[in-house]
Amino acid sequence: MLEKGVVEVAFGPVARGAWERHQPEPVTPTSLADLRGPVAGRMTLPIHLEWSGRRDYDLGDPEDLVWMYSRVIREAGDVEDLITFLDGPTLVRLWPELRPPARHVAAWEQVFPSLRSSS
């Protein structure tokens, strides 16, 4: 008998909401100009950024671009992740469409108030 709030899965019991509780602390660069990631072609994110789904993104596909930028902002463990995978002008253009968690939005908009006016 499992205790309330625990679900049995193939690899053992997991507390409900475990996925929702995984939220790395927000990371922001010092400057948007530091973000010089690729702007064209295909991008495969490393497993530490995209651990639960497909990792390959087409930067020419607007939907892929929004998904990838949202994922990198949400999962980045350090500034190097941001510098490697994001482009500053592209991020500013996409900001109103991105869907990172609210605390990540707040952190980015606190460091870069100009993002508030673009959303």
Side-chain angles (χ1 to χ4, degrees):
M1 181 85 163
L2 294 174
E3 62 187 87
K4 186 176 181 178
V6 175
V7 178
E8 184 72 32
V9 293
F11 51 85
V14 175
R16 254 185 234 284
W19 292 106
E20 288 82 15
R21 286 194 303 274
H22 167 77
Q23 290 188 12
E25 289 298 316
V27 176
T28 60
T30 305
S31 167
L32 292 174
D34 294 340
L35 304 179
R36 297 190 202 128
V39 296
R42 297 193 75 76
M43 171 65 60
T44 300
L45 293 178
I47 196 77
H48 74 277
L49 292 177
E50 182 65 88
W51 44 267
S52 67
R54 74 179 172 100
R55 296 173 41 217
D56 188 44
Y57 293 90
D58 177 357
L59 302 182
D61 179 329
E63 189 173 307
D64 269 13
L65 201 55
V66 166
W67 277 102
M68 190 196 88
Y69 271 62
S70 295
R71 171 64 77 171
V72 172
I73 290 168
R74 185 174 62 246
E75 299 295 334
D78 57 38
V79 173
E80 194 61 36
D81 288 333
L82 303 172
I83 291 169
T84 302
F85 299 105
L86 303 180
D87 171 70
T90 303
L91 181 133
V92 170
R93 179 174 53 83
L94 293 175
W95 188 253
E97 299 175 59
L98 301 181
R99 297 293 177 253
R103 66 191 190 124
H104 288 70
V105 171
W108 279 76
E109 289 181 351
Q110 180 177 357
V111 175
F112 306 109
S114 62
L115 292 175
R116 275 188 227 125
S117 63
S118 67
S119 50

